[in-house]
Amino acid sequence: MISFNVPPYMGKETEYMKEAIAGHKICGDGPFTKKCNQWIIDKTGTTQALLTTSCTQALELAAILADIQPGDEVILPSFTFVSTANAFVMRGAKLVFVDIRPDTKNIDESLIEEAITDKTKVIAPVHYAGVGCEMDTIMDIAKRHNLTVVEDAAQGVMSSYKGRALGSIGDYGCLSFHETKNYSMGEGGAILIKDRAKAEEAEIIREKGTDRSKFLRGQVDKYSWVSMGSSYLPSDMNAAYLYAQLEEADTINNNRLASWNSYREQLLPLQEAGKVELPVIPEHCVHNAHMFYMVTGSIKERTAFIEHMKKNDILTVFHYVPLHSAPAGLKYGRFHGSDEVTNRVASCLVRLPMYYGLEQDNIDYICEKVREFYR
Ligand SMILES: *Cc1c(COP(=O)(O)O)cnc(C)c1O
C-alpha cells in the first residue's frame, strides 16, 4: 500500500531529543526551542517567531493579539481547515466567508473589499498548498481599512510571495509543524509577529499572562501576572525533534519539489486533454510542494477515482467540506456573495501521495494508475 503521507525522519531527531533530556531542560523555551525560533526568524525575516504547540494555538494567540471582541468580523475563505475559523469564533467573532480563486484555490482578493463592514477587524488569508495568496492586494486593502492581517501559513513553510516568506507579510503569520506538514514535531506550530510591541505582548500571553520571559532574561527582578494568558509552549524535546528537520529543510524541500514536478510532467497530458485540472503556481510565487492535487470533473468521478486508486493499493484523499455549509459555519458565519468556486473545488479535488522520500517508482506507478482511470 502506498501511504498518503509519511512524516520525515532525517536521522538526528533521536540524538537531539536525547540531548534535550540530558540537559535537564525539557520544558518550554529551552535551547532547541530557541534554535527553532531563530531558524524561523532567519528564514522568513520576521521580527519575532515563537514556537507553539500547534498552528491552531498560534492562530488563537493571533486572535488575542488582534484584540478580537465579540461581534467583530473576520474575512476568510470557506475552503480551509476549521482552525482558521475557530481561533476567531472562540473570541466571539462573526465569520464572513468569501469565495476562492479557481486557479490557486486561495481567497479571491477581488471579493474582499465588498465584504468589509464597519465591524470588520481581520482578514485571514490561507496559503493553500503552500502557494501564496495575492498579498500585495490584501495588504493594501487592510491598510486602507485599518484591518489586521493574520496569515494562515500552516502549509507554507519555505514558500514565498514576491521574495517574501509566507507568514512574514501580514501582521501575524501562523505555521504548522504537525506530522502531516512538510516539517514536523508531531504536534507543533509557530507564530510570526511583525510588530516589536506585539511581540512582547505575545511573549506574555503565551507564558500564562506573566512576564516570566523578561524575568529569565534578567530584565525584571521578579515575575508577576500582568495580563490574560495561557500556555502555548511546546516541550523542548519536541523542539529538538523539529530542529533536526529544520537543519535539513533544503533536502526535504528539494526532494518534495522533485516529486511534485514529476507528477506534473506525467499528468500534464491529462490536463491538456481536458480530463483534470492541475495546480497552478503564479510566476511570482515559490512553493514548497506541500501538496499535489487534481481537480476532477465531478464528485461522482472523484469517488470512483479514489476507489480505483485504493484497489491498486494507493491512498488518495480529499478535504475541506466548505466551512460555510458546515453546522458550525452556519451558526457563526455567512457567505458573502455567491459560491462560484468553493463548493465545486471541495467536491472535486483529490490529493495524491506526497511526502519526503516518496520513491520515483511509486510516482511512476501512481501516474500510470491515474492514466488508466482516465482511459
Ligand atoms: C494543518 C492546518 C492547520 C492546523 O495546524 P495544527 O498544527 O494541526 O493545529 C491550520 N490551518 C491550515 C490551513 C492547515 O492546513
Side-chain angles (χ1 to χ4, degrees):
M1 186 66 88
I2 302 178
S3 306
F4 172 69
N5 175 54
V6 180
Y9 183 83
M10 304 308 288
K12 281 201 175 156
E13 287 87 342
T14 317
E15 180 190 325
Y16 286 175
M17 286 179 82
K18 277 186 182 159
E19 213 177 286
I21 294 163
H24 303 292
K25 186 78 183 77
I26 56 172
C27 67
D29 271 342
F32 283 103
T33 303
K34 294 203 167 80
K35 281 184 182 177
C36 291
N37 291 346
Q38 195 56 50
W39 185 93
I40 297 169
I41 291 169
D42 294 344
K43 266 284 172 216
T44 65
T46 188
T47 306
Q48 178 65 296
L50 299 167
L51 279 194
T52 57
T53 47
S54 63
C55 179
T56 301
Q57 294 240 283
L59 287 159
E60 288 178 27
L61 190 47
I64 296 173
L65 291 165
D67 192 31
I68 294 287
Q69 298 296 323
D72 287 347
E73 291 182 356
V74 175
I75 296 173
L76 73 168
S78 168
F79 187 64
T80 182
F81 188 59
V82 294
S83 294
T84 323
N86 268 325
F88 301 103
V89 165
M90 285 175 71
R91 309 233 66 82
K94 272 276 174 209
L95 307 172
V96 179
F97 299 109
V98 301
D99 212 1
I100 51 172
R101 295 170 57 111
D103 55 357
T104 57
K105 283 72 183 166
N106 283 331
I107 190 166
D108 186 336
E109 70 285 352
S110 72
L111 302 174
I112 292 175
E113 200 144 18
E114 63 190 46
I116 293 173
T117 71
D118 54 5
K119 298 227 173 77
T120 309
K121 196 146 197 186
V122 163
I123 307 171
V126 179
H127 304 296
Y128 184 70
V131 179
C133 295
E134 281 311 314
M135 291 308 291
D136 277 352
T137 307
I138 293 171
M139 294 309 290
D140 175 60
I141 295 169
K143 198 171 166 198
R144 283 188 285 107
H145 294 269
N146 197 22
L147 306 175
T148 299
V149 174
V150 177
E151 294 178 71
D152 182 339
Q155 304 174 6
V157 182
M158 296 284 280
S159 293
S160 61
Y161 167 85
K162 299 188 180 174
R164 286 170 283 161
L166 300 189
S168 73
I169 304 165
D171 300 277
Y172 307 103
C174 302
L175 313 182
S176 175
F177 299 115
H178 185 262
E179 76 160 33
T180 53
K181 300 303 198 292
N182 294 22
Y183 311 94
S184 138
M185 54 196 280
E187 298 279 352
I191 184 167
L192 278 56
I193 305 160
K194 206 189 237 175
D195 181 71
R196 180 69 56 198
K198 284 290 181 183
E200 256 187 46
E201 212 179 307
E203 224 176 44
I204 289 168
I205 294 165
R206 82 176 194 134
E207 270 285 18
K208 302 97 186 165
T210 72
D211 54 1
R212 184 164 178 272
S213 299
K214 270 190 180 162
F215 169 72
L216 293 176
R217 286 196 297 264
Q219 292 169 280
V220 289
D221 56 10
K222 63 176 173 25
Y223 77 85
S224 47
W225 183 30
V226 292
S227 89
M228 82 161 156
S230 187
S231 178
Y232 297 100
L233 289 78
S235 159
D236 214 48
M237 283 189 290
N238 296 58
Y241 191 97
L242 176 65
Y243 191 64
Q245 306 208 344
L246 295 182
E247 277 188 327
E248 295 290 337
D250 287 321
T251 309
I252 294 174
N253 199 40
N254 291 336
N255 179 272
R256 293 185 76 111
L257 283 167
S259 298
W260 196 98
N261 290 333
S262 178
Y263 270 135
R264 182 175 152 79
E265 192 183 319
Q266 296 193 56
L267 298 177
L268 209 49
L270 283 180
Q271 173 167 273
E272 280 156 5
K275 307 270 193 199
V276 296
E277 232 181 82
L278 301 182
V280 174
I281 315 293
E283 256 184 46
H284 49 272
C285 290
V286 173
H287 76 118
N288 61 358
H290 174 62
M291 193 187 297
F292 195 91
Y293 65 78
M294 308 189 312
V295 182
T296 64
S298 69
I299 189 163
K300 214 172 133 217
E301 181 181 312
R302 182 178 73 180
T303 307
F305 175 84
I306 292 173
E307 195 51 40
H308 168 80
M309 299 303 272
K310 202 168 154 195
K311 264 198 223 117
N312 288 290
D313 287 331
I314 302 161
L315 288 178
T316 60
V317 303
F318 62 85
H319 69 169
Y320 301 155
V321 175
L323 296 185
H324 74 280
S325 49
L330 292 168
K331 187 169 164 193
Y332 299 119
R334 65 168 189 273
F335 197 94
H336 182 87
S338 64
D339 171 3
E340 305 289 336
V341 186
T342 299
N343 191 54
R344 177 180 69 82
V345 166
S347 314
C348 302
L349 184 143
V350 63
R351 302 168 62 184
L352 303 183
M354 175 56 79
Y355 50 86
Y356 170 73
L358 176 60
E359 293 89 354
Q360 186 62 47
D361 284 356
N362 282 342
I363 296 171
D364 296 346
Y365 172 73
I366 293 164
C367 291
E368 176 46 35
K369 291 298 157 187
V370 175
R371 281 192 295 268
E372 188 180 283
F373 178 79
Y374 280 103
R375 258 197 302 265

